[in-house]
Structure formats: C-alpha cells, structure tokens
Amino acid sequence: MILIDGKKIAAELREELKKEVSNLKAKYNKVPGLTVILIGDLTPSQIYVRNKEKSANEVGLKSDVVKYPDSVEEKVILDKIQELNNDETVSGILVQLPLPKHIDKKKVIETIVPSKDVDGFHPMNVGNLSSGYESSVPCTPLGCYLLIKKIEPNLSGKKAVLIGRSNLNGKPMAQLLLKENCTVTITHSKTKDLKAECLEADIIVAAVGIPELVKGDWVKKDTIVIDVGINKTDKGIVGDVAFEEVSTNAKALTPVPGGVGPMTIACLLKNTIDCFKRLADK
Ligand code: NAP
C-alpha cells in the first residue's frame, strides 16, 4: 500500500510556488498578495488563519490578516471586501468560515470579485468549473485531485465514488474528476447502500465528518482512497476512513493528519498565484 504523504507533496508544491513567486517578482516587480478576513475568536479559525499566513510568507507572498470582533456589522465586512476588490496589491481575498449568524455567507461570497475569489466559492467560479472553463477551484478538492494524480496520472475511465455532496468538497471534486473522464458517483446521507457503491470504486474520496465510516471490506483491491475527514475523538484526530483496516486493501491511502490537510493550504497559495497571473495577463 502506498501511504500518500500529503505533508511531503505539499512541501514540494510550496517549493515550486516559491520559485514561481520569485519569477513573477522579476517579471512584474511585485508579488501576489493574499488578504484573509477573520471574524470572531473561534480557536480553529484562528489556527487555520495563522497557518495560512505562515505558509503564504514562506513562499514569498504578501500576506495580510484583517481581524474583526464577532459583533462586527455585515456592512463593515462588505465594505472591506469592496475596498480589497479595488486594491491592486491584493490578488486573493478569503473570508474565513464559519461566520457569525448575523452575517449572510452568500452575500459575503458574492461580494468578492470572482477574479480574486481564492476559495472558488463565488457562483461565477462554480459555474465556470462545472462548464469546464478556467476558474478558481476550492482548495481542498484541488488538493485531493493533485494527490490522486500523483498516484495515477491517467484517470480516464476510472470509477470514482465521492462520499459527501457539499459545495466545499463533493461537488467540485466531481467536476475535477469528470474533466479527467472518470465515471463519477456522488453519494450522500440518503444513499441506499454506500458499501456497495464503494466496492465499485477505483477512487474513493470521503468528505463526510463521520469518524472511520469507510471500513476495510468496503474497499476493493487497488482502490485509491482519499480521506478528507477531520474528526476529534477520544483517541485523537481521525478521518472518515478506518485507516488500519483500509490500508490492508487499498492501493494508496492518505493518513489523517498529514494527508489532505497540508495540501489544502498549499492549494490556497497556488490559487492566489493563479489569480495574480490571470489579473496580470489582462
Ligand atoms: P458537510 O458540509 O457537513 O457535508 C457532509 C456530507 O456528508 C453531506 O453531503 C452529507 O450528506 C454526507 N453524509 C453525512 N452522513 C453520511 C452518511 N452516513 N453516508 C454518506 N454521506 C453522508 O461537510 P464538509 O464541509 O464537506 O466536510 C466534510 C469533512 O471534511 C469534515 O470532517 C471536515 O472537517 C473535513 N474537511 C477537511 C478539510 C481538510 O483540509 N482536510 C477541509 C474541509 C473539510 P447530505 O448532503 O445528505 O446531508
């Protein structure tokens, strides 16, 4: 079984991005800039944002974090986004989710200009992705896609089963794999026989949020299994895949932690650089 080392692959990607930033600096005399808006004091959000900022600095991006208290008015956030939309030094804007209840997530996402939407959540980017056009792609599925391609460069004709249909993970993942000519099945909480679906799969991507849902006897030999789940349990952080059991069958498997997580942040940096390049080319 191949243990897919997301930490190592993400570090390699960051090295490539660092070189790219240096080339962009030489060409345009400026570097891509990422601005993160962080609202409130949720600890996981603060940790994510700190890691994003650290990684952005490491590859040479200009990185800013704008912080607001939980009580901030929606209008203040929308005005700030408009200001960043018009700021030429900002290539990518990310509003860290979740948001406080009084702030409308849809409004926030739709206020970010699509060309700076590094999360790929704007309906314009969602539509472009599903139409097969150039777009920002949500960072986690993009990271999963790059991991799968490392193991199997030619995905044409492969059967992919995605567990979970969220806008964040399952749906964009489906678009990426369809583009690679996979036959894609998207499963969810109302799927009748998840085990039977998984047993058909050459590729499984589990993004559910249920600890160790995918068992060893759900996976046929030679399946690539990508575990997106991050679940806090008594025995620590575990994924949506029963790692020990599945590792005896799978062709390749991501660990949790150290699999998809590091790729998510590296892909955020990649998206920021891609936004910069698209804006610079215009
Ligand atoms: P989400 O929005 O809650 O979506 C979960 C999906 O799983 C839904 O589509 C749901 O179906 C489906 N589901 C629930 N129970 C199921 C079952 N028994 N069988 C099959 N499908 C089932 O979650 P998310 O935001 O996509 O996140 C999923 C997991 O990934 C979480 O553990 C999260 O922490 C993790 N995550 C990790 C990263 C990373 O960087 N590694 C990034 C993002 C998220 P319905 O649509 O029918 O409700």
Side-chain angles (χ1 to χ4, degrees):
M1 204 265 315
I2 303 166
L3 183 68
I4 307 174
D5 189 343
K7 238 178 165 174
K8 182 164 165 269
I9 298 169
E12 288 164 3
L13 177 55
R14 285 199 305 275
E15 263 319 298
E16 281 171 32
L17 297 175
K18 197 172 174 178
K19 283 185 200 136
E20 201 171 355
V21 171
S22 156
N23 291 339
L24 290 171
K25 193 175 177 184
K27 186 170 173 190
Y28 296 103
N29 199 26
K30 56 182 180 179
V31 294
L34 170 67
T35 299
V36 177
I37 295 180
L38 174 63
I39 306 166
D41 51 11
L42 268 182
T43 311
S45 294
Q46 286 178 332
I47 294 171
Y48 291 143
V49 169
R50 222 174 15 245
N51 289 339
K52 285 168 184 172
E53 196 181 16
K54 187 169 160 265
S55 301
N57 288 330
E58 266 171 27
V59 303
L61 299 183
K62 179 179 150 317
S63 149
D64 283 313
V65 180
V66 188
K67 292 182 184 169
Y68 294 97
D70 249 321
S71 57
V72 67
E73 277 180 42
E74 183 183 273
K75 185 172 180 317
V76 173
I77 300 300
L78 300 182
D79 288 350
K80 184 67 193 178
I81 294 172
Q82 287 295 4
E83 183 193 316
L84 296 171
N85 285 342
N86 296 322
D87 183 338
E88 280 188 9
T89 67
V90 175
S91 332
I93 304 166
L94 181 150
V95 180
Q96 182 65 44
L97 302 178
L99 299 174
K101 282 202 177 67
H102 66 279
I103 297 181
D104 183 343
K105 183 170 101 177
K106 187 166 181 282
K107 238 190 228 174
V108 165
I109 288 172
E110 290 180 0
T111 302
I112 298 173
V113 67
S115 57
K116 295 188 180 185
D117 167 35
V118 279
D119 255 338
F121 294 159
H122 192 287
M124 181 93 91
N125 281 317
V126 176
N128 278 339
L129 177 64
S130 66
S131 302
Y133 302 140
E134 191 171 58
S135 68
S136 281
V137 179
C139 305
T140 302
L142 180 58
C144 295
Y145 167 78
L146 295 176
L147 292 178
I148 295 167
K149 289 282 280 183
K150 277 264 172 199
I151 303 299
E152 181 58 70
N154 181 7
L155 299 175
S156 185
K158 302 280 181 204
K159 283 197 166 194
V161 171
L162 314 181
I163 317 180
R165 59 175 160 183
S166 69
N167 292 337
L168 178 63
N169 288 306
K171 286 178 191 159
M173 191 75 239
Q175 299 301 343
L176 290 170
L177 293 176
L178 272 178
K179 212 172 168 186
E180 290 286 328
N181 298 317
C182 288
T183 302
V184 180
T185 302
I186 308 178
T187 68
H188 45 78
S189 67
K190 307 291 184 290
T191 295
K192 288 246 166 65
D193 190 345
L194 190 56
K195 177 180 173 181
E197 298 292 348
C198 287
L199 279 168
E200 295 281 313
D202 302 308
I203 299 160
I204 295 173
V205 182
V208 192
I210 300 181
E212 302 181 328
L213 173 74
V214 179
K215 308 288 184 240
D217 62 353
W218 291 26
V219 177
K220 69 178 169 66
K221 284 252 175 278
D222 289 339
T223 302
I224 300 170
V225 183
I226 306 293
D227 190 352
V228 181
I230 303 175
N231 306 294
K232 262 191 189 164
T233 69
D234 293 345
K235 56 177 184 180
I237 302 280
V238 302
D240 292 340
V241 175
F243 184 87
E244 294 300 332
E245 288 179 23
V246 171
S247 62
T248 60
N249 263 356
K251 171 180 177 178
L253 172 62
T254 56
V256 176
V260 173
M263 287 301 284
T264 297
I265 295 190
C267 286
L268 170 66
L269 310 179
K270 177 174 164 35
N271 280 352
T272 306
I273 294 167
D274 288 345
C275 284
F276 174 92
K277 287 195 295 191
R278 284 198 287 268
L279 284 168
D281 285 346
K282 271 191 186 163

